[in-house]
């Protein structure tokens, strides 16, 4: 009886002690992705005067964060975020019917804003067509998010800044 109790106690201590080290064993990119998944839920904003809802869902057994962007009166767009080695990837399924894949540089600080730059694009009919070229995500606090999207269209570059507030 004492031996069973001792082994049980040792097993519990080992399990409890292992939990913090599992977090410490995560790479910086995994830590940044964990921070990104804290967006899970619903967010509202009015980019360019258009009421827009963002819905974040963690899917694929926790390996992907899906953002559904639903502008009022406009087509929905999807962005999928995932870890790839020491960086993160965002693939944006745009209403312009192209799919820019953007990537961060190697993550060295999981708390900094995430800056994605275009790596490649699919679905682009001509180089002059509108397409996003970058995204910066800043989680200001648990209830406020800023997205800065860069784009190119007909040889001209531009930037759009969007602010969102958590609603649930």
């Amino acid at each position: 009886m004492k031996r069973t109790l001792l082994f049980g106690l040792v097993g519990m201590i080992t399990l409890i002690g292992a939990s913090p080290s599992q977090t410490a064993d995560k790479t910086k990119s995994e830590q940044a992705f964990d921070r990104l998944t804290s967006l899970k839920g619903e967010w509202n904003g009015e980019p360019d005067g258009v009421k827009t809802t963002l819905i974040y869902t963690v899917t694929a057994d926790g390996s992907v964060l899906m953002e559904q962007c639903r502008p009022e009166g406009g087509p929905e767009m999807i962005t999928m975020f995932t870890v790839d080695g020491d960086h993160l990837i965002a693939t944006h399924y745009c209403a312009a019917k192209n799919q820019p894949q953007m990537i961060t540089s190697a993550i060295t600080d999981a708390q900094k804003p995430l800056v994605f730059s275009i790596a490649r694009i699919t679905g682009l009919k001509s180089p002059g067509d509108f397409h996003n070229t970058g995204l910066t995500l800043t989680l200001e606090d648990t209830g406020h998010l800023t997205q800065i999207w860069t784009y190119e269209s007909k040889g001209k570059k531009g930037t759009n800044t969007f602010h969102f507030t958590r609603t649930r």
Side-chain angles (χ1 to χ4, degrees):
M1 176 76 167
K2 288 181 182 178
R3 181 177 273 170
T4 305
L5 184 60
L6 177 63
F7 284 128
L9 184 58
V10 168
M12 284 184 62
I13 290 170
T14 302
L15 182 62
I16 292 169
S19 296
S21 68
Q22 288 174 345
T23 301
D25 289 343
K26 287 192 173 189
T27 65
K28 296 288 184 191
S29 57
E30 291 168 330
Q31 292 172 26
F33 182 75
D34 286 350
R35 189 165 154 259
L36 194 59
T37 62
S38 73
L39 295 172
K40 182 180 174 184
E42 191 170 300
W43 300 73
N44 286 334
E46 286 197 38
D48 298 325
V50 177
K51 290 181 182 179
T52 301
T53 300
L54 299 179
I55 300 170
Y56 287 96
T57 307
V58 180
T59 188
D61 196 24
S63 66
V64 176
L65 177 68
M66 178 175 67
E67 175 198 272
Q68 295 170 278
C69 177
R70 297 178 174 172
E72 187 175 82
E76 179 176 281
M77 292 173 277
I78 303 287
T79 305
M80 305 294 271
F81 300 91
T82 193
V83 176
D84 184 33
D86 63 355
H87 55 270
L88 301 183
I89 293 176
T91 303
H92 178 67
Y93 298 86
C94 189
K97 299 184 180 177
N98 57 52
Q99 305 80 39
Q101 186 177 67
M102 299 166 284
I103 190 169
T104 65
S105 57
I107 305 286
T108 57
D109 183 346
Q111 299 305 311
K112 286 189 176 181
L114 295 170
V115 180
F116 295 86
S117 299
I118 194 159
R120 68 187 204 112
I121 187 166
T122 58
L124 194 63
K125 292 181 182 168
S126 76
D129 288 348
F130 176 90
H131 60 282
N132 289 299
T133 57
L135 168 63
T136 300
L137 290 173
T138 305
L139 185 57
E140 295 150 23
D141 55 42
T142 58
H144 297 91
L145 168 68
T146 298
Q147 294 185 341
I148 301 172
W149 287 88
T150 56
Y151 64 89
E152 191 171 321
S153 181
K154 297 178 183 165
K156 294 183 181 179
K157 296 179 181 188
T159 301
N160 289 316
T161 302
F162 306 130
H163 301 283
F164 295 93
T165 303
R166 184 186 296 274
T167 57
R168 59 181 176 105

